[in-house]
Amino acid sequence: MSLLVRGGTVLDGTGTDGVRADVLVIGDRVAAIGTDLDTPTGTRVIEADGLLVTPGFIDPHTHSDVVPFMADPQPFKVLQGVTTEVVGNCGNSAAPLVDDTAVELHRPISSTVAAGVDSWPRSFAEYLDAVEQHGPTTHVASLVGHHTLRISANGMDEGLRPGALDRMVALADRAFAEGAFGLSTGLIYAPGVYADTEEVAALAAVAARWGRPYATHMRDEGDGLTASLAETLEVARRTGVRVQVSHCKAAGSANHGRSAELLATLHEARGRGIEVLGDAYPYTTGESFLTALLPAAAQIGGREALVRRLSTPEGRHDLFQRGAAGGPGSGSWSQTSPDGVFVSMHRDTTKLGRSLAELGGDPWHTLCDLIVADPGAMMVYRLMAEEDVRAILADPLIAIGSDNSVPVGNAHQRGWGCFPTVLGRYVRELGVLSWPEAVRKMTSLPARAIGLPGRGYLAPGAIADIAVIDPQTVGHDGTVQQPWRRPTGVRWTVLAGTPVVVDGEFTGERAGRVLRA
């Protein structure tokens, strides 16, 4: 099969200025870029005059781990021009899960319930095989998550059982052998928050030995930002692992303006020889489990213990006091406000899109009631300042990553519109980024960070992952109440030579591939 994308402005992903050229695809590879190209008989032609032709976008930070198992193909990413998703972030990968106990303990922090899919004991390789069997809508590359390793070796216990760290190291080593692209942590969430730096470094050393990166949702992105950055870079210094700082931000109103500190720290670390990069999304709001507002101690022992704690006045009061005190492990309650916390997923769908303030009653007790009724409930919540978002997006070390959850309910609009929002708002409207630089942040930069050979650029021999974008109309107008609105301006998306978005419409084809490191 051959394909010719004719007459567009080619932005090759390296950050250099675009050139008007044709792109010839034969099979799953780019065969040539230029003018007056010789094309095989029967070549399909995409007319791209006035459009941008770019490498397919690579989303380095997603939570789409179980999306391939959903009954219908989910086009929410290919409609944005995304061709590759990196899953297994924030410490929470879909494997390895060693037994039924691990599956049950992992379920509350996974997306299986929201997505309406099952989970089962599996090795890392068996998870990848299952994704391949079901057929992903995008290419999928997975990290192995610290939460999942810890649950498999230690349950939801706070302290490590004898031999648990050795077991985690062995499971991580096997996952890398079976194709994991890196290690991730979510040190603000249970059970990752229970780990000390020594535990994290022991696992990062395994990643370093395999030449794989370490992606971290740091221990604190607000009041403890300085200490969390220091811990992240200390892990890198000790082990030599290259680091990806996930969804870079300065969280909480008290920390607005600290993006300069964050970025200066990353640049200074690179000056000392530490290979560190980051990613960010173009919003002042984030998304997480409602339990992220609670102190980490709330989740010791798993879901049943959590519900018991929140079902007594004494338990609620104790957790409120811990949360109000701030500091590592205190949760995010003090970083936002009741009118800035919106329910995005809950068993009671009448709550969706409504804030804690709108739901009425004492906000803390309303929060606890919501969690007791559905411990897996999620929220969209205000965290960042627009000035910080712009500064972080503009920095050359920062890739674009959506941090999407599964595309159901009132999940954050970034799942449906992250990449078009960057291009439409922060490039065309605000001029925070140039077109070539924005495309670099969506293509070659994340490919370099994660280690995806043959992707993230357009040149002969590259995998033919391509997006064709209308620079005049690309954008997304999703809201907290209607996050699922379709993005505009993404005309074609091609996965390894197969068009899956044609004239703005999804073909229905599951043409993604499972990638193994």
Side-chain angles (χ1 to χ4, degrees):
M1 176 181 175
S2 57
L3 182 70
L4 182 70
V5 185
R6 184 163 60 194
T9 299
V10 177
L11 296 171
D12 66 6
T14 65
T16 57
D17 290 341
V19 296
R20 184 178 173 88
D22 303 338
V23 178
L24 176 63
V25 173
I26 297 179
D28 66 354
R29 300 274 174 168
V30 175
I33 299 176
T35 57
D36 300 321
L37 301 177
D38 291 330
T39 57
T41 302
T43 295
R44 184 176 186 177
V45 177
I46 298 173
E47 296 293 352
D49 183 43
L51 306 178
L52 303 178
V53 181
T54 77
F57 302 148
I58 295 168
D59 192 340
H61 192 101
T62 86
H63 296 280
S64 298
D65 304 65
V66 301
V67 169
F69 303 145
M70 296 174 74
D72 297 321
Q74 301 297 315
F76 68 121
K77 284 300 185 63
V78 293
L79 288 170
Q80 299 179 59
V82 173
T83 53
T84 300
E85 294 184 86
V86 180
V87 302
N89 279 284
C90 293
N92 195 2
S93 59
L97 295 169
V98 296
D99 53 28
D100 289 331
T101 299
V103 169
E104 289 307 308
L105 290 173
H106 184 259
R107 192 184 308 276
I109 66 169
S110 75
S111 300
T112 54
V113 174
V117 302
D118 294 327
S119 189
W120 62 92
R122 58 208 176 201
S123 67
F124 198 85
E126 287 168 340
Y127 162 70
L128 295 181
D129 290 344
V131 172
E132 197 164 55
Q133 178 182 357
H134 282 78
T137 309
T138 63
H139 306 314
V140 174
S142 184
L143 311 175
V144 62
H146 173 222
H147 288 343
T148 312
L149 296 170
R150 206 177 204 271
I151 285 171
S152 284
N154 201 65
M156 286 294 288
D157 292 358
E158 183 173 12
L160 286 178
R161 303 168 187 169
L165 182 56
D166 290 340
R167 178 66 171 145
M168 279 190 273
V169 166
L171 287 170
D173 190 70
R174 180 179 173 185
F176 291 128
E178 293 174 343
F181 274 84
L183 169 73
S184 77
T185 57
L187 299 177
I188 199 170
Y189 302 122
V193 69
Y194 309 139
D196 59 18
T197 305
E198 302 297 325
E199 179 179 328
V200 176
L203 294 170
V206 184
R209 188 167 66 247
W210 280 90
R212 312 283 163 80
Y214 164 46
T216 179
H217 180 145
M218 296 188 299
R219 204 173 293 275
D220 193 327
E221 299 170 320
D223 297 347
L225 179 63
T226 301
S228 295
L229 283 166
E231 178 185 37
T232 298
L233 298 173
E234 174 62 15
V235 168
R237 187 196 65 79
R238 290 188 197 181
T239 65
V241 74
R242 68 183 194 274
V243 175
Q244 180 80 1
V245 178
S246 298
H247 39 59
C248 293
K249 64 174 71 74
S253 57
N255 301 296
H256 291 173
R258 295 182 69 188
S259 59
E261 174 192 343
L262 166 68
L263 297 170
T265 301
L266 299 184
H267 282 271
E268 188 273 336
R270 289 184 67 85
R272 291 188 284 114
I274 294 174
E275 190 172 349
V276 59
L277 296 167
D279 55 70
Y281 47 77
Y283 304 93
T284 57
T285 53
E287 183 179 28
S288 189
F289 292 99
L290 278 172
T291 52
L293 296 173
L294 304 176
Q299 296 191 67
I300 295 174
R303 173 180 284 188
E304 292 181 2
L306 166 69
V307 171
R308 285 196 302 270
R309 292 185 182 98
L310 296 181
S311 298
T312 67
E314 297 80 11
R316 291 187 179 193
H317 179 74
D318 176 62
L319 290 171
F320 179 81
Q321 293 296 109
R322 293 193 193 198
S330 63
S332 301
W333 180 252
S334 63
Q335 294 180 351
T336 187
S337 59
D339 65 346
V341 177
F342 300 86
V343 180
S344 62
M345 296 185 197
H346 198 278
R347 288 173 182 163
D348 182 353
T349 57
T350 66
K351 304 291 194 296
L352 298 183
R354 301 171 67 188
S355 70
L356 291 182
E358 290 170 332
L359 290 170
D362 177 83
W364 180 259
H365 289 295
T366 299
L367 169 67
C368 294
D369 290 343
L370 286 166
I371 295 172
V372 169
D374 184 357
M378 297 191 71
M379 62 179 170
V380 171
Y381 60 136
R382 284 201 299 263
L383 283 176
M384 287 80 76
E386 176 66 19
E387 292 76 11
D388 286 325
V389 171
R390 296 185 191 188
I392 290 168
L393 290 177
D395 192 274
L397 299 183
I398 307 300
I400 306 303
S402 72
D403 196 15
N404 69 278
S405 56
V406 292
V408 299
N410 280 57
H412 197 293
Q413 62 260 41
R414 63 195 181 194
W416 288 272
C418 172
F419 292 81
T421 293
V422 171
L423 296 174
R425 175 169 169 76
Y426 290 92
V427 178
R428 185 182 63 239
E429 295 176 9
L430 297 177
V432 172
L433 294 164
S434 68
W435 292 102
E437 176 64 358
V439 170
R440 183 187 73 87
K441 287 170 169 285
M442 299 175 176
T443 57
S444 67
L445 183 57
R448 167 187 169 192
I450 302 302
L452 296 169
R455 289 179 164 84
Y457 65 96
L458 288 180
I463 299 293
D465 294 336
I466 299 171
V468 181
I469 307 293
D470 183 348
Q472 301 302 317
T473 63
V474 66
H476 185 238
D477 62 357
T479 65
V480 170
Q481 286 72 33
Q482 293 184 315
W484 53 82
R485 291 177 179 172
R486 285 274 298 270
T488 55
V490 178
R491 300 285 298 277
W492 291 74
T493 304
V494 178
L495 267 65
T498 299
V500 294
V501 173
V502 175
D503 288 329
E505 296 297 327
F506 177 52
T507 66
E509 187 167 0
R510 295 179 183 253
R513 298 176 175 180
V514 173
L515 310 181
R516 291 172 169 84

